[in-house]
Amino acid sequence: MADKILKKLYIKVWRQNNAQDKGRFETYEIENVSTGSSFLEMMDLLNNNLIEKGIDPIAFDHDCREGICGICSMFINGRPHGPDTAVTTCQLHMRKFNDGDTITVEPWRAAAFPVIKDLIVNRSAFDTILQAGGFISVNTGGVPDGNAIPISRDDAEEAMDAAACIGCGACVAACKNSSAMLFVAAKVSHLAKLPQGRIEAKARARNMVAKMDELGFGGCTNTGACEAECPKSISISHIARLNREYLVAKFAE
Amino acid sequence: MSKFLTASIGRKFLMSVTGLFLMLFIVVHLTVNLLLIFDDSGDLFNVAANFMATNPAVKIMEPILGLGFMIHIIWSFIISWENYKARPVKYNKQDLSNASSWSSRNMLILGALVLVFLIIHIYDFYWKIKITGSDLLPNVVINGEEMHNTYLLVSTHFKESLVFSLLYVLGGVLLGLHVVHGFWSSFQTLGINNKIWMSRLQWVARVYAILVAVGFSVIPLYFVIKF
Ligand code: HEM
Ligand code: SF4
Ligand code: FES
């Protein structure tokens, strides 16, 4: 597919100096964007223009630019990571847009993800949830032979599917309740399917859910928007497993 | 079990259990009501209604049903409020149309409309039958047993007013829309779901929702069209 040039785009973007600032939308024009460039490259171009004009460039998170780090959070035209499925913003191409479009770009919106500046939000709430139970405790010493612990192929696959979560927060951003259930489910699920994870399974489900609630994420109402918008297509069947793990753990208390 | 009923999944657990219970009640209620259109003399329905009004097992279930409704409704507002608070600054532009079903996003509104209908419905029938009485409720004797002629009350209402009948059609449709998401969602909440059962449960949910919506709608329509 030959790349075309989008002659003019209007970028309506959220500008907020810091966490205390009320924030506002600004609309900037950008010309001659190749449809082959990624959304982040377009943002780079825009920032170049802004710097030349003496305007503070738009702050946004980016790192790997290949869809694996999960940092590039942007809510584009009403959807996390924009108008494409199973991609992060860095993998979103400008061919998804038309010449003359106005593109609305907002940060993730959730009480648990406060804005730091412009499009950058603080996602350390996810780390706090992981610290509450998203690990297995191991003693130091010799590394055991991996093959000494038999794991069925199906379980290994299921655990790997869950482990594909990159912690981007799109699930929270998409959810009408700002619920972190898909993220927590992915983390609980990937350990729950492995023998090493079973040892602390009950405490893990209890503690991670309690932490998630405490940090101000909403509750799950099974709308499924998280799965639809997740760049790794994590299935909400993992949420069913989390519910199961949690209920069993709670009733055993 | 500390703080279970105020934790996010604990709250949802209550919604799910009460929701399942209400859906079971709906099956019984619809089955009895459908007798209205299978016997124009009204005897079949009157006998069933009398059984439901006098049977001790049903009598025990009545307050439990009331409690189920109360919990479901109160918790629905609690969880909706908590979930609303989780996003203090709303999006300028949000498009969930491809990502989630309309019903799933509007459960509170659908539920609240069902509640409005429920209040009208209770006033129309339950209230008159149990408390105030009505001119349309003479006693009849069927098979030697004396009972309310509930059939007369219900059928007259539907025959006499098209608006009233359409309100009942609307009630059925609203409930159908509520349970098309609620049905499979309640299994998901209890953890009784996986990749294979996901589409099966969603399919059964559609069948259940259509039965509820169509089942409750045909009753008033029958009286409107036939009489
Ligand atoms: C006979 C009437 C009703 C039935 C059969 C019913 C059934 C259900 C079911 C099965 C669920 C799913 C629970 C889950 O996801 O775990 C549900 C959820 C819900 N219901 Fe009802 N319900 C009824 C009436 C009401 C009423 C009167 C309200 C009140 C305002 C209401 C509000 C809600 C809300 C807000 C939810 C949660 C939404 C969600 O989690 O997606 N429902 N209902
Ligand atoms: S579950 Fe998906 S959307 Fe949520 S944080 Fe993980 S990768 Fe991102
Ligand atoms: S920058 Fe790493 S996933 Fe987009």
Side-chain angles (χ1 to χ4, degrees), chain A residues 12 25 75 78 106 109 111 158 172-175 178 213 219-223 236-237 240 243-244 246 250 253, chain B residues 1-2 7-8 12 83 86-87 89 91-96 99-100 104-105 181 184-185 188-189 191 193 195:
Chain A
K12 181 181 168 190
F25 278 100
F75 204 81
E106 304 173 66
R109 294 290 189 199
E158 183 82 357
V172 176
C175 177
S178 305
D213 291 352
C220 180
T221 59
N222 303 326
T223 70
I236 57 170
S237 61
N243 285 332
R244 205 152 62 227
Y246 179 81
K250 270 291 179 187
E253 219 170 32
Chain B
M1 290 298 294
S2 59
S8 58
K12 260 306 270 207
N83 292 346
R87 177 163 294 143
V89 183
Y91 289 109
N92 178 266
K93 183 173 178 186
Q94 186 171 25
D95 178 11
L96 284 166
S100 60
S104 74
R105 279 178 268 129
H181 174 69
W184 79 269
S185 175
Q188 170 86 358
T189 301
N193 203 357
K195 279 199 179 110

Side-chain angles (χ1 to χ4, degrees), chain A:
Chain A
M1 191 171 20
D3 292 340
K4 280 185 289 200
I5 297 295
L6 302 171
K7 290 208 186 63
K8 194 168 219 169
L9 293 170
Y10 302 88
I11 311 297
K12 181 181 168 190
V13 60
W14 182 256
R15 304 302 314 259
Q16 181 173 339
N17 295 333
N18 52 51
Q20 286 72 43
D21 184 16
K22 265 185 63 107
R24 75 221 169 264
F25 278 100
E26 295 281 355
T27 303
Y28 303 109
E29 288 177 17
I30 181 165
E31 292 176 349
N32 300 326
V33 177
S34 163
T35 52
S37 56
S38 76
F39 199 85
L40 295 190
E41 285 164 339
M42 184 279 293
M43 292 296 288
D44 292 338
L45 276 177
L46 179 60
N47 271 345
N48 267 345
N49 297 350
L50 293 182
I51 291 167
E52 275 170 19
K53 287 186 202 151
I55 303 172
D56 195 23
I58 303 156
F60 62 89
D61 266 328
H62 59 103
D63 189 9
C64 72
R65 297 208 177 202
E66 55 180 7
I68 53 169
C69 77
I71 198 77
C72 52
S73 52
M74 284 188 202
F75 204 81
I76 303 162
N77 274 352
R79 294 175 59 189
H81 301 304
D84 203 348
T85 41
V87 296
T88 50
T89 305
C90 57
Q91 296 173 296
L92 174 68
H93 282 82
M94 293 310 294
R95 64 177 80 97
K96 289 280 166 188
F97 301 92
N98 297 312
D99 199 17
D101 276 1
T102 297
I103 305 173
T104 306
V105 190
E106 304 173 66
W108 286 176
R109 294 290 189 199
F113 287 165
V115 173
I116 296 172
K117 185 172 168 42
D118 296 340
L119 302 174
I120 299 180
V121 297
N122 184 348
R123 269 169 293 185
S124 54
F126 269 9
D127 300 326
T128 313
I129 294 175
L130 285 180
Q131 284 155 11
F135 52 80
I136 57 165
S137 307
V138 284
N139 296 321
T140 51
V143 180
D145 176 5
N147 292 324
I149 306 167
I151 299 167
S152 88
R153 196 189 128 77
D154 286 350
D155 286 345
E157 286 292 332
E158 183 82 357
M160 269 311 283
D161 284 350
C165 168
I166 53 177
C168 65
C171 42
V172 176
C175 177
K176 80 185 234 303
N177 312 317
S178 305
S179 170
M181 280 287 273
L182 192 62
F183 168 76
V184 176
K187 300 304 171 193
V188 163
S189 209
H190 105 247
L191 293 174
K193 288 306 277 181
L194 301 175
Q196 296 91 333
R198 289 309 322 163
I199 318 273
E200 291 153 307
K202 287 202 173 73
R204 176 177 309 114
R206 273 199 299 261
N207 295 342
M208 288 180 80
V209 169
K211 191 52 82 181
M212 165 184 95
D213 291 352
E214 181 194 317
L215 292 169
F217 291 102
C220 180
T221 59
N222 303 326
T223 70
C226 49
E227 175 183 314
E229 298 294 10
C230 170
K232 301 298 159 188
S233 304
I234 307 276
S235 161
I236 57 170
S237 61
H238 295 293
I239 295 182
R241 180 173 297 108
L242 169 60
N243 285 332
R244 205 152 62 227
E245 292 276 330
Y246 179 81
L247 292 172
V248 167
K250 270 291 179 187
F251 285 115
E253 219 170 32

Side-chain angles (χ1 to χ4, degrees), chain B residues 193-204 206:
Chain B
N193 203 357
N194 61 25
K195 279 199 179 110
I196 299 163
W197 278 89
M198 188 77 67
S199 52
R200 292 181 188 169
L201 285 172
Q202 289 175 349
W203 195 83
V204 180
R206 279 182 209 119

Side-chain angles (χ1 to χ4, degrees), chain B residues 88-112:
Chain B
V89 183
K90 307 293 168 206
Y91 289 109
N92 178 266
K93 183 173 178 186
Q94 186 171 25
D95 178 11
L96 284 166
S97 54
N98 293 318
S100 60
S101 72
W102 184 85
S103 285
S104 74
R105 279 178 268 129
N106 292 284
M107 288 296 274
L108 182 66
I109 295 171
L110 287 167

